[in-house]
Amino acid sequence: MDSRFYFLVLFCTITATVQGQSQRNIDAPMPTRQVHLDFHTSEHIPDIGKRFDKKQFQEALKTGNVNHINIFSKGHHGWSYYPTKVGKIHPNLDFDLLGAQLEACHEIGVKAPFYFTIGWSELDAREHPEWTIRNEDGAINAPGYDWDAPGDTERPTYLWKRMDPSIGTPYHDHIMKQVEEICQRYPDLDGFWFDIYHVAKRNYNSYAIKRMKKEGIDIKDTLAVERSHALALKAHMKDLRNLVAKYRPEATVYFNAVTRIEDASFFKERLFDMDTHQDLEDLPTTWGGYNKLPLDAKYHLQQGVPAAGMSGKFHKAWGEFGGFKNPDAIKYEAAAMISFGASCNFGDQLHPSGEMDMETYKNIGYAYDYVAKIEDYGPGGVPVSKLGIWLTLNEAADHGVVNMLLETHKDFIVADANNLNQLELIIIPSEPNLTKEAAQKINDWVKKGGKLLVFADGALNKDRTSFLLDVGTTYLKPSDFQFDYTVVKEGLTQDMVSTPFLNYEAALVTQPTNGEMLASIREPYFNRTYDKFNGHRETPYQLEDAPYPAIVKNGNVLFFAHPLDRLYYTDGVLLHRQLVKNAIDLLYEKPLLKVSNLPSAGRVSLLKQASDSRYVAHLLYGPPLLRGEVSVLEDFLPVPGVELSLEVSETIKEVVQIPEGTSLPFTQERTVVHVTIPTFTMHTAIVFKYE
């Protein structure tokens, strides 16, 4: 069978299922104060669940002000926590712990979806090594696994053999039987949280090889192998989604890790369409950082489904016993989730004894008491802006743009071919991603008055041979230099130096056509080599400008020849950020929201809650400090004198500060509302009520 035809049939089948059994609407209620309760317990630990007590479990949830908790049906060690005939109950558990926890939750009105491991299952891998994902050489896919290490050797953290649940495998069938067993045993279940779908982009086990042969896939074609694996997983997810719906149509179903923008091979196949909602897993302390949530939340909320941010109570990472995050940091992270329109979920790790740690729930409760005061002003809201970023799925390029926008308080949404007419300005990062069709739509939109800012390779076709966008200059070649320097001309000089400044990666070489040069390039005298070098680092710049530009303005289009987005992501040069800010200010004349006097570590998010006839501008301030390998939030200083200007077509009748509920004085000049925010600490929300 031709592989293209197979992919088309499979995609259409999956899409039809999703359309017939849709995700939740974004307005549908989703619990706002959630906990994800890890419970991965070894067979070498005795007395599993011995100290579980329903009243103590309930008291912890009440102390934490929790209204939703994910509880474990099966964990990474492969053991189940209920009597099962399909899987195997933990050998040191002598009662139905899952059922007892579900009963405890439902008695106090707490939702309790079931966690079920997929991609890591030690018992299944041990008993059925043929079910594991394999590398191209046939070895089990388990990066970092020392197969020759003596049994008493220290084992690295997060090290598991990787399982293959793809459609058509015995492991998929095994999962289906066990999930059906759970559905039959617990007819009042709330949902499923299926874990670990990000562990491998490619698979070469016997089942995958057989499938790819049927599809006509060349197994030496890496991209084709990745796509085959992604779609086989998506088909597996479709079967699970349909199975759960058969028994419990209103149940939530979530497949973890398929929402991650950085996992491009899964993301572009939209595996996340199989979810009823999106849980945006992140641990900003040790991976992802505090700038990851905004882009993830904006993208997925724009898909029309609700989302929850996920962090942890841990100091470092998931499953850490005895690790405690500063309670104020949990509060900040929770406020940030609400600010960007998401519900809150914080991870905990239950002790094998089954006893809840009350100190953990005191800390979570401290944060969730605040969430209860502000939660009506986040989830259910839709991000709104007239500035959009076009996703390229290059993490450094996309997040380089996002970091600059967040730090300069230029609120944004995710641009695509369907929302161009809502936008005044689009930013395209420096990764060739545009199709000819998308580029033509953008070019036509610019001719109608749209404004465009493009970084370097983002204007190129995917072959990197020519520009698809009309940027006022013609692509010639990559630079011959390792690095170069920029000299800014008129129009972009606000808070810039007048002398040449360094770019750690050289610009594309282009020939201006009908564009105006706003910045030029100074080349170094030579590249740094063993034969020719100067001083410790970069060679100095020549004294005359190169004949090709650093920045070109072509009407409503600004083209940067340098990948300043990627450079800012890796190097964080403030001059680069200021230059981009100047360019945005030159083009972006009528933003919905303008923010003044907020420090760069502050964050802003504008949501529209149309059903409540209001806009909500959230402000956050909590600068993270890097201590060792962990980003710590500790110092929350008062922020005075922030000013907001909101330009909307509606007539604003009242401005209220949340959580205080205080009405604020404001002025309105035609469509622009001005308000000065009283001093706030950590977080505040400004509600603009309209008629």
Side-chain angles (χ1 to χ4, degrees):
M1 180 185 293
D2 182 87
S3 62
R4 292 171 296 178
F5 177 75
Y6 175 87
F7 285 139
L8 178 62
V9 171
L10 184 57
F11 177 78
C12 291
T13 302
I14 293 171
T15 302
T17 301
V18 173
Q19 290 173 342
Q21 182 185 303
S22 62
Q23 298 171 307
R24 284 181 166 189
N25 184 278
I26 196 169
D27 293 327
M30 183 178 183
T32 49
R33 289 167 268 119
Q34 305 180 21
V35 164
H36 182 83
L37 189 63
D38 268 0
F39 195 57
H40 304 293
T41 55
S42 167
E43 62 271 24
H44 300 293
I45 295 178
D47 300 325
I48 302 302
K50 183 177 183 179
R51 298 184 69 172
F52 172 80
D53 177 85
K54 180 167 69 173
K55 296 299 182 185
Q56 195 265 349
F57 189 84
Q58 291 173 332
E59 183 60 30
L61 299 183
K62 292 176 182 177
T63 299
N65 203 356
V66 173
N67 57 16
H68 170 120
I69 184 169
N70 298 330
I71 56 178
F72 264 46
S73 61
K74 181 180 180 181
H76 290 340
H77 285 273
W79 304 112
S80 298
Y81 299 101
Y82 70 97
T84 173
K85 295 180 181 179
V86 178
K88 292 184 178 180
I89 191 171
H90 195 291
N92 302 320
L93 175 66
D94 59 8
F95 71 103
D96 183 358
L97 178 59
L98 177 67
Q101 290 176 334
L102 181 65
E103 179 182 297
C105 290
H106 283 183
E107 275 188 9
I108 60 173
V110 174
K111 297 285 187 181
F114 294 162
Y115 175 99
F116 190 103
T117 194
I118 300 289
W120 291 336
S121 181
E122 182 68 16
L123 177 65
D124 290 316
R126 186 163 62 239
E127 294 186 345
H128 294 280
E130 72 276 12
W131 292 358
T132 59
I133 289 175
R134 299 297 174 122
N135 298 329
E136 199 166 2
D137 62 2
I140 292 175
N141 186 290
Y145 208 107
D146 185 351
W147 300 98
D148 299 321
D152 59 356
T153 303
E154 180 179 357
R155 184 181 180 121
T157 56
Y158 306 103
L159 177 60
W160 305 88
K161 303 181 185 85
R162 297 171 170 183
M163 305 298 296
D164 176 21
S166 301
I167 192 78
T169 65
Y171 185 50
H172 167 79
D173 297 338
H174 179 71
I175 291 167
M176 293 288 289
K177 290 176 183 177
Q178 189 162 15
V179 170
E180 184 167 32
E181 177 188 54
I182 293 170
C183 290
Q184 293 170 341
R185 184 179 179 89
Y186 306 102
D188 59 342
L189 65 85
D190 294 309
F192 279 91
W193 207 92
F194 297 112
D195 200 12
I196 312 299
Y197 281 89
H198 64 292
V199 290
K201 294 180 180 179
R202 297 179 293 279
N203 180 21
Y204 300 90
N205 67 16
S206 60
Y207 307 106
I209 294 294
K210 181 179 179 181
R211 182 189 69 246
M212 289 189 287
K213 184 177 181 180
K214 182 179 179 181
E215 296 168 359
I217 299 295
D218 178 0
I219 63 171
K220 294 182 180 180
D221 183 341
T222 299
L223 292 179
V225 172
E226 288 183 359
R227 187 160 193 249
S228 174
H229 180 58
L231 290 176
L233 285 178
K234 193 171 185 178
H236 147 82
M237 293 158 65
K238 180 199 72 172
D239 272 11
L240 269 179
R241 174 84 183 264
N242 287 341
L243 174 64
V244 175
K246 172 184 173 182
Y247 288 95
R248 186 78 162 160
E250 66 273 29
T252 59
V253 179
Y254 177 70
F255 301 92
N256 190 34
V258 299
T259 60
R260 296 171 13 150
I261 295 173
E262 59 268 31
D263 289 337
S265 62
F266 288 176
F267 191 84
K268 63 188 178 184
E269 303 303 337
R270 297 181 64 92
L271 272 64
F272 54 77
D273 279 339
M274 292 298 143
D275 298 328
T276 58
H277 63 284
Q278 308 302 353
D279 285 349
L280 308 176
E281 183 188 8
D282 187 19
L283 285 171
T285 47
T286 50
W287 52 263
Y290 285 92
N291 286 349
K292 184 174 185 293
L293 173 67
L295 179 60
D296 287 355
K298 287 173 185 292
Y299 179 85
H300 288 291
L301 289 174
Q302 286 176 231
Q303 303 302 300
V305 293
M310 291 192 73
S311 185
K313 73 98 177 184
F314 318 108
H315 175 65
K316 283 192 175 182
W318 289 107
E320 179 181 65
F321 283 109
F324 288 89
K325 183 178 289 178
N326 172 14
D328 278 323
I330 299 177
K331 179 181 176 181
Y332 174 90
E333 291 178 12
M337 294 169 188
I338 296 295
S339 296
F340 289 102
S343 294
C344 307
N345 188 314
F346 283 86
D348 181 27
Q349 172 86 321
L350 181 65
H351 190 276
S353 69
E355 182 178 14
M356 298 281 265
D357 182 80
M358 294 304 295
E359 295 298 328
T360 290
Y361 289 86
K362 289 177 185 177
N363 289 351
I364 291 175
Y366 170 72
Y368 280 175
D369 287 347
Y370 184 71
V371 169
K373 298 175 183 177
I374 66 172
E375 61 191 11
D376 289 343
Y377 301 94
V382 177
V384 286
S385 177
K386 291 191 289 185
L387 189 163
I389 173 177
W390 191 279
L391 284 187
T392 68
L393 303 186
N394 178 304
E395 184 176 4
D398 292 343
H399 276 280
V401 172
V402 168
N403 291 353
M404 288 188 279
L405 294 176
L406 291 172
E407 292 169 18
T408 57
H409 314 125
K410 310 289 188 185
D411 200 28
F412 64 95
I413 62 173
V414 178
D416 58 43
N418 298 316
N419 65 6
L420 293 179
N421 292 334
Q422 303 171 31
L423 300 170
E424 180 184 351
L425 172 64
I426 293 175
I427 299 177
I428 299 182
S430 61
E431 172 71 18
N433 176 262
L434 295 175
T435 62
K436 289 183 179 179
E437 294 76 17
Q440 187 58 54
K441 286 184 178 181
I442 293 172
N443 284 329
D444 291 343
W445 171 77
V446 170
K447 291 176 183 177
K448 296 175 183 177
K451 299 169 184 177
L452 189 62
L453 192 159
V454 188
F455 290 105
D457 304 60
L460 287 170
N461 59 17
K462 293 182 180 180
D463 294 332
R464 298 177 185 264
T465 56
S466 62
F467 287 151
L468 291 173
L469 298 171
D470 184 5
V471 296
T473 190
T474 300
Y475 176 70
L476 298 179
K477 64 174 185 175
S479 175
D480 295 327
F481 293 97
Q482 301 157 339
F483 49 86
D484 62 18
Y485 302 84
T486 295
V487 181
V488 180
K489 308 296 184 181
E490 296 298 322
L492 298 175
T493 57
Q494 178 70 37
D495 295 328
M496 298 297 299
V497 297
S498 58
T499 54
F501 58 86
L502 176 64
N503 305 297
Y504 295 100
E505 182 178 334
L508 299 181
V509 179
T510 70
Q511 176 63 52
T513 51
N514 53 333
E516 172 191 1
M517 185 185 298
L518 299 186
S520 60
I521 289 171
R522 294 283 182 90
E523 296 174 335
Y525 287 102
F526 45 80
N527 282 323
R528 184 178 178 86
T529 67
Y530 279 98
D531 289 335
K532 296 170 67 176
F533 65 96
N534 182 85
H536 293 303
R537 291 180 55 90
E538 293 81 13
T539 309
Y541 51 82
Q542 299 185 45
L543 299 179
E544 301 296 329
D545 291 348
Y548 51 95
I551 303 175
V552 174
K553 184 176 187 297
N554 181 35
N556 286 342
V557 180
L558 268 179
F559 170 73
F560 283 77
H562 293 93
L564 293 190
D565 47 3
R566 289 189 280 112
L567 291 180
Y568 192 72
Y569 185 79
T570 57
D571 304 310
V573 176
L574 291 185
L575 283 172
H576 289 163
R577 187 185 76 189
Q578 182 63 38
L579 184 57
V580 173
K581 177 183 181 298
N582 291 345
I584 292 173
D585 289 341
L586 182 65
L587 293 174
Y588 194 25
E589 297 177 311
K590 293 184 178 181
L592 289 182
L593 185 68
K594 289 184 180 179
V595 184
S596 302
N597 303 326
L598 183 63
S600 63
R603 295 292 178 264
V604 60
S605 171
L606 181 65
L607 302 172
K608 185 174 185 179
Q609 295 180 312
S611 60
D612 295 304
S613 300
R614 65 194 183 198
Y615 292 89
V616 185
H618 288 269
L619 301 173
L620 294 150
Y621 183 70
L625 304 171
L626 186 62
R627 291 183 178 156
E629 61 182 12
V630 180
S631 292
V632 176
L633 287 172
E634 181 178 24
D635 300 320
F636 297 94
L637 301 179
V639 182
V642 175
E643 297 178 358
L644 301 182
S645 296
L646 181 71
E647 182 169 358
V648 292
S649 58
E650 298 89 349
T651 299
I652 302 300
K653 63 180 181 179
E654 187 180 14
V655 178
V656 177
Q657 185 173 17
I658 300 299
E660 293 82 0
T662 306
S663 290
L664 300 179
F666 66 95
T667 60
Q668 185 161 9
E669 302 170 4
R670 294 184 180 178
T671 59
V672 182
V673 179
H674 302 280
V675 61
T676 299
I677 311 306
T679 297
F680 75 93
T681 301
M682 184 185 287
H683 169 264
T684 193
I686 308 303
V687 180
F688 297 84
K689 300 180 181 180
Y690 57 82
E691 296 177 349

